[in-house]
Amino acid sequence: MKNEINIGLLGFGVVGSGVAKILQNHQDDLRHKLGVPVVIKKVLVKDLHKKRETILSSEIFTNDLNEVLGDPSIDLIVEVIGGTSEAKKAIESSLRAGKGVVTANKDVMAVSGLELLKLADENKCDLFYEASVGGGIPLIRTLEDGLASDRISALTGIVNGTTNFILTKMKHDKMTYEDALAEATALGFAEADPSADVDGIDAARKMVILASLSFSTEVLLEDVFVRGMKEIKEGDLELAEQFGYTVKLAGSAKKDEEGIEVAVEPVLFPNSHPLASVNNEFNAVYIYGDAVGETMFYGPGAGSLPTATSVTGDIVAACRNLLLGVNGKRLHAPQYARKVKSDSKKFARYFHRIRVKDEVGVLTKLTSIYSDYDASLATVIQHPDKKEAGADLIFITHKISRQQHLDIVKKLNETPEVIGVLSHYRVEGEE
Amino acid sequence: MKNEINIGLLGFGVVGSGVAKILQNHQDDLRHKLGVPVVIKKVLVKDLHKKRETILSSEIFTNDLNEVLGDPSIDLIVEVIGGTSEAKKAIESSLRAGKGVVTANKDVMAVSGLELLKLADENKCDLFYEASVGGGIPLIRTLEDGLASDRISALTGIVNGTTNFILTKMKHDKMTYEDALAEATALGFAEADPSADVDGIDAARKMVILASLSFSTEVLLEDVFVRGMKEIKEGDLELAEQFGYTVKLAGSAKKDEEGIEVAVEPVLFPNSHPLASVNNEFNAVYIYGDAVGETMFYGPGAGSLPTATSVTGDIVAACRNLLLGVNGKRLHAPQYARKVKSDSKKFARYFHRIRVKDEVGVLTKLTSIYSDYDASLATVIQHPDKKEAGADLIFITHKISRQQHLDIVKKLNETPEVIGVLSHYRVEGEE
């Protein structure tokens, strides 16, 4: 029986320093839980001379990965470097050196998750990645253990805190997108280059991780239909509000006999939907299980200590396994072959905002287009506020396929009476 | 390595038949996860001749507990009999026979949880009880594993589906308490004798389980301050609504240096609080961790399949441990000695609805009582709707101790100008 667990911490940024803080502050509790102390033995950083506020001794800092991996007393590697190639290599080297890994790296796990989990299995090591999705919310563990006996059929979630913060500020404080983004950046919620967040790429990576685990199948990033924040046009938020909806950049994943579908896009949620009131930098994921029905998990989607809580939760799990000698005993091979639905098999309601020339007969012309594509309409409204350059027509369809929706939008844009389809959204949660 | 796991199922009611259904329907998925099949080997029932719709062979049903416990091929006991003394004895006998136990029994776990967990530890058996709280929501696992590294400082939750269903119907459909209770009974949400639910006892038991685990300390049922549904008086729900609040029968548990406090009582939640919009039979628990901040877990609080999902989730966890030979390896001794706060150390805001005689000077008289008890007032309103027998005054205090609150209510009731304090509530979530 080991009398302590030694950790090699790769990276000492926002998350890494949070991990060190939690391990320090909750030392007694962790020791009570595990029976032995958990000690940070080495910390890998780029710049050894950078000034850091930490109680860790400067002697344990190194800029040489081999010094960490080569230390036989180190049992577990915690990868919080971020980025892709360097982090992936570090994870691979750790696993090959027989050391378990805890990572917060969604970029690596989304693209190389199955490959790395296989490598972990081969090397009889644990590879835990709770912090890669949903910050402090224990989502991965819930899907793996809590709902282990259920069959997940769908999940919908707000998994990017930056864009949710921006949308909340735009809706509640009537900020412009630019001002809201600037505030998110100032508060540390947005990166210097926010494109991965606002273009939906970050959320898409997280949905790949969640969908792959929920459906026990391989999911590629290219399988995700992605539309980002720029698809939200001026006036859309107010317009949605008038119809009783809230716009969220949401991820969704579904599985049925036809295969899986995964998307990240701006979605209209009815205001009564619990995800409509998830605000600011918070994340929440709705999970639908065949037996359990609907469940929701809500919490801080980012931030130093929340994310570090997930990392240290994984550290506790990995330590338990190490102490029991059962590390690396869970096999991760997916149960089902990858099968992705075509757009003609994905069904939803759609909201179309169409700017038209103010001419006689335009409404009849447009409704006939919907008929031509076999799409029935739930709502048709001529929006009264915008009359200068033309009028805005709002159409909300009954359930149609994404293919029908895309065909209709294309056809509308080619119609002479139409100035343009200003915006279009999937509508969540109602018939 | 075992080539299958055999289960002895004690009880075949709502939850037991749900467990059988899930194990059957999700057989392939479970086999993929565990590597071996999970088989129900024997089922204990009271009446062998009762007609049951099940694919299980009638030959595996027995009315003799010893036949189940004496079967050496049975690895794991699933206790879903319910009730107290018989169920507790069955759990004890199972553990003493060296068989791990999965139970859904909140009554037993609330009163004898620590004792049974100790017995499990001594016999090197697992004792899992996810289904005892929050139906299908994986709360126990989240507190034990997901937030393992954090220090929980408070939790607030709607943990009784029956009363939440009744309150939702009363608020949204303007039903009377009696009609709402009748509907809950008809839908199977309320027991024939609903007193444990409506008097808050069921919720108190669940809060004992959650608080004990969250704070790693012994919590007794008598430590819980309990007020039930009957404290909600006619007109209170509408009155609360006018002030922007929703009434919920909620559990709360807090811990600080002064000790712990646990309560179940009708509480006013600001409508913006996420728990205010948890409706019908759904449960939700807000957990505040020092590092993670606020998280919430939401889902069906009762029902055959949701509760059975938690039971089978535990079965999967117990099977994994059995297959790895690490069953019964987690120690459950509480870390902290029991320390319960006195009422003078419990702080909150309070809402008082006071029927007074319509006399000159009554408002001055009452406000001076609050001053005498050092309580400062946030809101004082004379309610305009009720004028027949007198007037209703509404006082909302700033934070005061529960002792101050109780003293003030007593003093008010002794004041000649006061007909009676009609109702009083703790107010959640604001300064």
Side-chain angles (χ1 to χ4, degrees):
Chain A
M1 189 86 172
K2 291 172 184 294
N3 54 12
E4 66 178 24
I5 302 270
N6 291 310
I7 285 180
L9 182 61
L10 313 184
F12 202 73
V14 173
V15 178
S17 58
V19 169
K21 214 175 277 174
I22 292 178
L23 289 181
Q24 173 63 23
N25 294 349
H26 298 176
Q27 220 179 117
D28 293 347
D29 303 8
L30 293 174
R31 193 175 181 144
H32 177 83
K33 280 203 172 97
L34 293 169
V36 303
V38 179
V39 178
I40 297 180
K41 191 79 189 297
K42 292 229 180 297
V43 183
L44 179 75
V45 291
K46 275 213 176 106
D47 177 4
L48 276 177
H49 304 291
K50 190 173 161 185
K51 209 165 156 52
R52 294 182 173 87
E53 275 198 26
T54 173
I55 59 138
L56 294 176
S57 153
S58 63
E59 285 171 22
I60 69 167
F61 284 76
T62 171
N63 54 11
D64 179 6
L65 176 63
N66 292 323
E67 208 184 302
V68 184
L69 298 186
D71 182 337
S73 76
I74 288 181
D75 309 282
L76 186 67
I77 299 295
V78 176
E79 184 279 305
V80 285
I81 311 172
T84 48
S85 63
E86 190 198 346
K88 188 187 169 193
K89 272 185 212 142
I91 295 172
E92 285 172 336
S93 308
S94 304
L95 294 171
R96 291 216 174 89
K99 298 183 196 294
V101 174
V102 169
T103 177
N105 199 315
K106 58 189 172 275
D107 302 353
V108 169
M109 288 308 291
V111 174
S112 315
L114 285 181
E115 176 193 339
L116 291 172
L117 287 165
K118 186 158 174 271
L119 186 64
D121 291 349
E122 286 164 6
N123 287 281
K124 311 251 176 288
C125 290
D126 285 330
L127 170 58
F128 292 151
Y129 53 103
E130 181 65 75
S132 65
V133 187
I137 317 170
L139 284 170
I140 303 287
R141 191 154 277 118
T142 295
L143 289 167
E144 279 213 324
D145 295 337
L147 302 175
S149 68
D150 205 356
R151 195 177 295 144
I152 309 298
S153 52
L155 41 97
T156 312
I158 294 168
V159 291
N160 180 275
T162 310
T163 48
N164 202 45
F165 179 87
I166 293 172
L167 282 168
T168 304
K169 290 289 160 193
M170 287 171 72
K171 181 180 174 182
H172 293 285
D173 302 343
K174 308 289 171 215
M175 279 190 182
T176 61
Y177 167 78
E178 288 72 21
D179 288 349
L181 174 59
E183 187 170 332
T185 310
L187 289 169
F189 296 139
E191 313 272 337
D193 174 8
S195 54
D197 290 326
V198 301
D199 293 343
I201 307 303
D202 175 83
R205 288 180 184 134
K206 290 167 178 167
M207 290 308 295
V208 166
I209 295 172
L210 291 177
S212 157
L213 183 60
S214 299
F215 305 143
S216 191
T217 184
E218 187 181 18
V219 180
L220 305 180
L221 201 49
E222 68 199 57
D223 298 336
V224 187
F225 178 94
V226 184
R227 299 176 74 223
M229 291 277 291
K230 70 171 184 295
E231 308 291 343
I232 304 171
K233 297 295 152 55
E234 207 192 325
D236 280 0
L237 267 56
E238 295 77 6
L239 197 53
E241 184 63 35
Q242 287 173 36
F243 285 84
Y245 292 106
T246 298
V247 180
K248 293 288 182 189
L249 190 75
S252 64
K254 281 186 214 164
K255 185 192 178 188
D256 59 28
E257 319 75 60
E258 303 286 351
I260 62 157
E261 58 175 291
V262 188
V264 168
E265 57 188 325
V267 173
L268 296 191
F269 287 92
N271 288 335
S272 61
H273 194 292
L275 287 178
S277 46
V278 172
N279 288 323
N280 295 315
E281 74 278 18
F282 278 85
N283 281 197
V285 176
Y286 242 72
I287 301 176
Y288 304 82
D290 284 356
V292 76
E294 47 173 332
T295 57
M296 186 177 85
F297 304 87
Y298 166 97
S304 170
L305 288 179
T307 308
T309 304
S310 285
V311 172
T312 45
D314 276 351
I315 291 175
V316 170
C319 289
R320 274 190 180 131
N321 285 352
L322 281 165
L323 292 166
L324 294 171
V326 294
N327 43 309
K329 293 281 186 183
R330 199 176 279 197
L331 296 180
H332 294 89
Q335 185 175 0
Y336 301 100
R338 174 168 161 267
K339 185 180 170 194
V340 181
K341 276 190 219 178
S342 68
D343 281 344
S344 62
K345 303 283 189 187
K346 303 173 182 170
F347 292 92
R349 301 172 70 216
Y350 286 91
F351 175 105
H352 297 161
R353 179 186 177 191
I354 311 159
R355 183 146 301 173
V356 294
K357 295 177 188 156
D358 210 352
E359 292 174 2
V360 176
V362 60
L363 190 61
T364 317
K365 179 76 179 277
L366 264 53
T367 51
S368 76
I369 291 175
Y370 285 86
S371 306
D372 291 348
Y373 285 91
D374 252 349
S376 82
L377 291 164
T379 309
V380 179
I381 287 176
Q382 176 147 356
H383 187 243
D385 293 351
K386 292 268 175 190
K387 283 282 200 175
E388 325 85 25
D392 279 5
L393 291 178
I394 309 297
F395 290 72
I396 304 178
T397 71
H398 284 298
K399 271 196 179 166
I400 58 175
S401 73
R402 194 184 288 277
Q403 193 57 57
Q404 282 171 289
H405 152 73
L406 293 171
D407 289 345
I408 290 168
V409 169
K410 182 160 178 282
K411 180 71 184 174
L412 287 168
N413 274 324
E414 293 164 1
T415 302
E417 292 85 349
V418 170
I419 297 169
V421 176
L422 291 191
S423 52
H424 52 88
Y425 296 91
R426 191 161 57 82
V427 179
E428 185 74 18
E430 284 172 23
E431 219 14 67
Chain B
M1 188 84 172
K2 291 170 185 296
N3 54 14
E4 67 178 22
I5 302 270
N6 290 311
I7 285 181
L9 182 60
L10 312 184
F12 202 73
V14 174
V15 179
S17 58
V19 170
K21 214 175 278 175
I22 292 178
L23 289 181
Q24 174 62 24
N25 293 350
H26 298 176
Q27 222 179 116
D28 293 347
D29 303 8
L30 293 174
R31 193 175 182 143
H32 177 83
K33 278 199 173 99
L34 293 168
V36 303
V38 180
V39 178
I40 297 181
K41 191 77 187 300
K42 291 225 181 299
V43 184
L44 178 74
V45 291
K46 274 213 176 105
D47 177 3
L48 276 177
H49 305 291
K50 191 173 160 186
K51 212 167 155 49
R52 295 182 173 88
E53 275 197 29
T54 172
I55 58 137
L56 295 176
S57 154
S58 63
E59 286 169 21
I60 69 167
F61 284 76
T62 172
N63 54 12
D64 179 7
L65 176 62
N66 293 321
E67 210 185 301
V68 185
L69 297 186
D71 183 335
S73 75
I74 288 182
D75 309 282
L76 186 66
I77 298 295
V78 176
E79 185 279 304
V80 286
I81 310 172
T84 48
S85 64
E86 190 198 345
K88 188 187 169 193
K89 271 184 213 145
I91 295 172
E92 285 172 337
S93 308
S94 304
L95 294 171
R96 290 216 174 88
K99 296 183 196 296
V101 174
V102 169
T103 177
N105 199 315
K106 58 189 171 275
D107 302 353
V108 169
M109 289 307 293
V111 174
S112 315
L114 284 181
E115 176 193 337
L116 291 172
L117 287 165
K118 187 159 173 271
L119 186 65
D121 291 349
E122 286 164 6
N123 287 282
K124 312 252 176 286
C125 291
D126 285 330
L127 170 57
F128 292 152
Y129 53 102
E130 180 66 75
S132 67
V133 187
I137 319 170
L139 284 170
I140 305 288
R141 191 153 278 117
T142 295
L143 289 167
E144 279 213 324
D145 296 336
L147 302 174
S149 69
D150 204 357
R151 196 178 292 146
I152 309 298
S153 53
L155 40 98
T156 312
I158 294 168
V159 292
N160 180 275
T162 310
T163 50
N164 202 47
F165 180 86
I166 293 173
L167 283 167
T168 304
K169 290 289 160 188
M170 288 170 72
K171 181 179 174 184
H172 293 284
D173 301 343
K174 308 290 173 215
M175 278 192 186
T176 62
Y177 168 75
E178 288 72 22
D179 288 350
L181 175 58
E183 186 169 334
T185 311
L187 288 169
F189 296 141
E191 313 271 338
D193 173 8
S195 54
D197 289 327
V198 300
D199 294 342
I201 308 302
D202 175 83
R205 290 181 184 130
K206 291 167 178 167
M207 290 308 296
V208 165
I209 295 172
L210 290 177
S212 158
L213 182 61
S214 300
F215 305 144
S216 191
T217 183
E218 189 182 16
V219 180
L220 304 180
L221 201 48
E222 67 198 58
D223 298 337
V224 187
F225 178 93
V226 183
R227 298 174 75 223
M229 290 276 292
K230 68 172 184 295
E231 308 290 345
I232 303 171
K233 297 296 153 56
E234 209 194 320
D236 280 1
L237 267 56
E238 296 77 7
L239 198 54
E241 184 63 35
Q242 287 173 36
F243 285 84
Y245 292 106
T246 298
V247 180
K248 294 288 183 189
L249 190 76
S252 64
K254 281 186 214 166
K255 186 191 179 189
D256 59 29
E257 319 76 59
E258 303 286 351
I260 61 156
E261 58 176 292
V262 188
V264 168
E265 57 188 325
V267 173
L268 296 191
F269 286 92
N271 288 334
S272 60
H273 193 292
L275 288 177
S277 46
V278 172
N279 288 323
N280 296 314
E281 75 279 17
F282 278 85
N283 281 197
V285 175
Y286 242 72
I287 301 176
Y288 304 83
D290 285 356
V292 76
E294 48 174 331
T295 57
M296 185 176 84
F297 304 88
Y298 166 97
S304 171
L305 288 178
T307 308
T309 304
S310 284
V311 172
T312 44
D314 276 353
I315 292 176
V316 170
C319 289
R320 274 189 180 133
N321 285 352
L322 281 166
L323 292 166
L324 293 171
V326 295
N327 42 309
K329 293 283 186 183
R330 198 177 280 197
L331 296 180
H332 294 90
Q335 186 176 1
Y336 301 100
R338 174 167 160 266
K339 186 181 172 195
V340 181
K341 276 190 218 178
S342 69
D343 281 345
S344 62
K345 304 284 189 187
K346 302 172 182 171
F347 292 92
R349 300 172 70 215
Y350 286 92
F351 175 103
H352 297 161
R353 177 185 177 191
I354 310 160
R355 182 146 300 171
V356 296
K357 295 177 187 156
D358 210 352
E359 294 172 2
V360 175
V362 60
L363 190 62
T364 317
K365 180 75 178 280
L366 264 53
T367 51
S368 75
I369 291 176
Y370 284 87
S371 306
D372 291 348
Y373 286 90
D374 252 349
S376 82
L377 291 164
T379 309
V380 178
I381 287 176
Q382 178 148 352
H383 186 242
D385 292 348
K386 290 270 175 189
K387 282 283 195 176
E388 325 84 25
D392 278 5
L393 292 177
I394 309 297
F395 290 71
I396 303 177
T397 71
H398 284 298
K399 271 197 179 164
I400 59 175
S401 74
R402 194 184 287 277
Q403 192 57 56
Q404 281 172 290
H405 153 72
L406 293 171
D407 290 344
I408 291 167
V409 169
K410 184 161 177 282
K411 180 71 182 173
L412 288 169
N413 275 324
E414 293 164 359
T415 302
E417 292 85 349
V418 171
I419 297 169
V421 177
L422 293 191
S423 53
H424 52 88
Y425 296 91
R426 191 160 57 81
V427 179
E428 186 74 19
E430 285 173 19
E431 220 15 63

